[in-house]
Amino acid sequence: MALVLHTYKGNKGAYKALIAAEYAGVKIEEASNFQMGVTNKTPEFLKMNPIGKVPVLETPEGPIFESNAITRYVSRVNGDSPLNGSSLIDYAHIEQWIDFASLEIDANMLRWFAPRMGYAPFSAPAEEAAIAGLKRGLDALNTHLASNTYLVGHSVTLADIVTVCNLNLGFATVMTKSFTSEFPHVERYFWTMVNQPNFKKVIGDAKQTEAVPPVPSKKAAQPAKPKEEPKKAAAPAAEAPKFAEEEEAPKPKAKNPLDLLPPSPMVLDEWKRLYSNTKSNFREVAIKGFWDMYDPEGYSLWFCDYKYNDENMVSFVTLNKVGGFLQRMDLARKYAFGKMLICGSEAPFKVKGLWLFRGPEIPKFIMDEVYDMELYEWTKADISDEAQKERVSQMIEDAEPFEGEALLDAKCFK
């Protein structure tokens, strides 16, 4: 049985596998007559991927979904390949950059791109956070590429293939020349890679967008009214232009519902300053100060536990996962404080968190905008329970051991 790739034309995830196949000398057939929204909803397709996403690769051993997994498989079909490096440290660095490209570049770029294309609700704060996160990632990538032609070693690896395919979507849709010019080494790298024969055979002629797509209008266009002939006896409507100008004036920006809550005696910025400035006697100063400030009417405390801890087998991948989550929480900075603990001295690592949110519930806009939220189980803390109150204190102060385990790392969102 040949390898058969199910996807729609232009899918960047499919590009990764097809480019890897060109380098590895692997033949892949693309499924004919694939129609997104139809083919991927059939019982036959859902047996290969229960959630109906593409790409999916059919192999003699069974189907594979998730583009990075497919790309890894393709690179090894014919045995060892330079795409996977020549040493254990090369392999680790390749995996590092694949995760980086997915969490720091792709995730932020999609959160900028998707609402602009009408695929997700638009939120200005969310877009600002996505662009800031993307710039941070590109800046780190730019620094690395200032002294490296390739991400790892001296030839193309899977890290380059995944990163360039992710960048290609950004260059084609939202990353204009004025945006990318801040990152000249990324530009040089991207244009060099997409003009390599194996990339060009799959992608074609890469192009850079000239403008960011406008935000889709929420108002349906109103049909023009028939133009009436003015009556001769009628007085000129001198105020009409003024009325039109008033009607078209931009509406004031809607307030975040959290800004409309009754005032709270707890000032979040004061707590964040106390946390940041306390260098000694943390329990006596910062923790005591927190409970003195805490307003259970105006704020709520939440524990979170990652649902898939059994997947956390590699320390730096787990740390990157948590870092990406905190980065995507930027839109909540005005209304939240968080601690994320990565626990365990060996794999699988456990990820546990504590969050302070404005209001009695987790804010809806966070649940809607931050897709990581659904990856965690959320439990509201009951501070009338002394054990739960003590757990809050221990998480704020990075107590170690925590619940019998060493801390691999602790990250703070403030």
Side-chain angles (χ1 to χ4, degrees), residues 146-281:
S147 56
N148 294 278
T149 302
Y150 304 97
L151 289 176
V152 181
H154 302 289
S155 63
V156 171
T157 65
L158 290 186
D160 299 299
I161 293 173
V162 172
T163 301
V164 170
C165 287
N166 289 347
L167 287 172
N168 184 54
L169 181 60
F171 271 75
T173 56
V174 290
M175 291 164 51
T176 60
K177 173 65 179 174
S178 62
F179 179 87
T180 60
S181 61
E182 296 181 37
F183 314 103
H185 303 299
V186 174
E187 286 186 321
R188 181 263 306 158
Y189 168 75
F190 174 76
W191 292 114
T192 299
M193 291 294 105
V194 295
N195 283 293
Q196 298 300 306
N198 288 336
F199 279 82
K200 197 161 188 174
K201 184 174 180 180
V202 173
I203 295 174
D205 292 325
K207 292 181 171 53
Q208 186 164 17
T209 185
E210 295 182 357
V212 177
V215 177
S217 173
K218 292 183 180 178
K219 288 177 67 178
Q222 298 293 325
K225 292 182 179 179
K227 191 174 181 179
E228 297 180 4
E229 290 292 327
K231 296 179 180 179
K232 290 183 180 179
E239 295 302 310
K242 182 179 178 183
F243 174 78
E245 289 171 6
E246 291 173 353
E247 188 178 43
E248 294 169 6
K251 294 180 180 180
K253 186 177 178 181
K255 285 191 173 183
N256 188 303
L258 298 183
D259 293 327
L260 303 177
L261 292 174
S264 170
M266 182 177 194
V267 179
L268 189 58
D269 283 345
E270 288 186 6
W271 156 242
K272 290 180 179 180
R273 280 194 293 272
L274 176 64
Y275 174 89
S276 299
N277 294 334
T278 303
K279 306 301 181 185
S280 60
N281 300 321

Side-chain angles (χ1 to χ4, degrees), residues 82 84-96 152-154 157:
N84 296 297
S86 58
S87 65
L88 180 59
I89 192 64
D90 278 357
Y91 169 75
H93 285 155
I94 289 166
E95 291 296 306
Q96 164 191 289
V152 181
H154 302 289
T157 65

